[in-house]
Amino acid sequence: MSELSRKVLEYFEGQGYGINEIVTEIDNLKIDVVRDFLDKANDDKVYVIKRRGNLEEYNADKVIRSIKNASDRNGQQINTSDVEILIKDVEKNMKDMKRKVFRTDEIKEYVKNALVNEGYSQIYDSYVSYVQNQN
């Protein structure tokens, strides 16, 4: 165990945290540190913290692919202009947050909200199922 890990564990134990609280706080700490570090960068890049913890640059094509896969699984076709509207909704939500780092699950929520707001309830249902199968 590293010195930093030891100090973090001692801190949380000293605060009376249980193991689940420690895990949650460490997950949040990781996001906060990465977010603060990247917010200082002088670029317009947006990043995603994946489920397994790795950091990737945001790629709208991955979101587009997930929407199309969900609609295909539902036997529905969604045209490119409709997908672009959904992506704009998602990206507007991200921009409104004024952050450079998002968790994958946050982006999935933005997609679900966009699907509902734009009237794609059947694709929404398929997307929810698709996302659950990906986990």
Side-chain angles (χ1 to χ4, degrees):
M1 178 181 283
S2 74
E3 181 66 25
L4 178 59
S5 296
R6 237 184 323 279
K7 295 247 184 227
V8 168
L9 183 58
E10 288 172 8
Y11 170 80
F12 287 128
E13 287 175 337
Q15 298 295 315
Y17 284 40
I19 188 64
N20 290 329
E21 294 168 309
I22 292 172
V23 168
T24 299
E25 288 297 320
I26 289 174
D27 285 345
N28 291 337
L29 176 65
K30 178 180 180 179
I31 291 167
D32 290 345
V33 168
V34 169
R35 186 176 291 148
D36 287 350
F37 180 83
L38 291 174
D39 281 344
K40 294 175 187 171
N42 289 330
D43 62 28
D44 292 332
K45 293 180 182 177
V46 174
Y47 298 89
V48 178
I49 296 178
K50 306 299 278 185
R51 275 184 301 156
R52 299 211 172 148
N54 54 321
L55 185 71
E56 291 183 8
E57 190 171 341
Y58 168 75
N59 184 343
D61 291 339
K62 290 184 177 186
V63 180
I64 290 168
R65 187 170 45 246
S66 70
I67 293 169
K68 287 183 176 180
N69 286 343
S71 68
D72 289 347
R73 285 185 67 198
N74 195 30
Q76 300 215 336
Q77 294 299 315
I78 186 165
N79 64 44
T80 303
S81 62
D82 289 340
V83 173
E84 288 176 10
I85 290 169
L86 293 168
I87 292 300
K88 284 182 183 176
D89 286 355
V90 169
E91 291 177 349
K92 181 186 180 313
N93 282 322
M94 293 168 69
K95 187 174 184 176
D96 288 349
M97 295 299 292
K98 298 180 180 169
R99 297 187 344 226
K100 288 185 159 199
V101 181
F102 296 87
R103 292 184 321 272
T104 299
D105 61 322
E106 290 178 296
I107 294 173
K108 289 176 183 175
E109 286 301 313
Y110 297 149
V111 171
K112 289 192 266 186
N113 291 338
L115 287 166
V116 169
N117 293 339
E118 296 295 338
Y120 293 100
S121 59
Q122 290 180 334
I123 295 175
Y124 168 86
D125 293 338
S126 183
Y127 182 79
V128 169
S129 174
Y130 175 78
V131 166
Q132 287 173 343
N133 288 335
Q134 296 297 312
N135 292 336

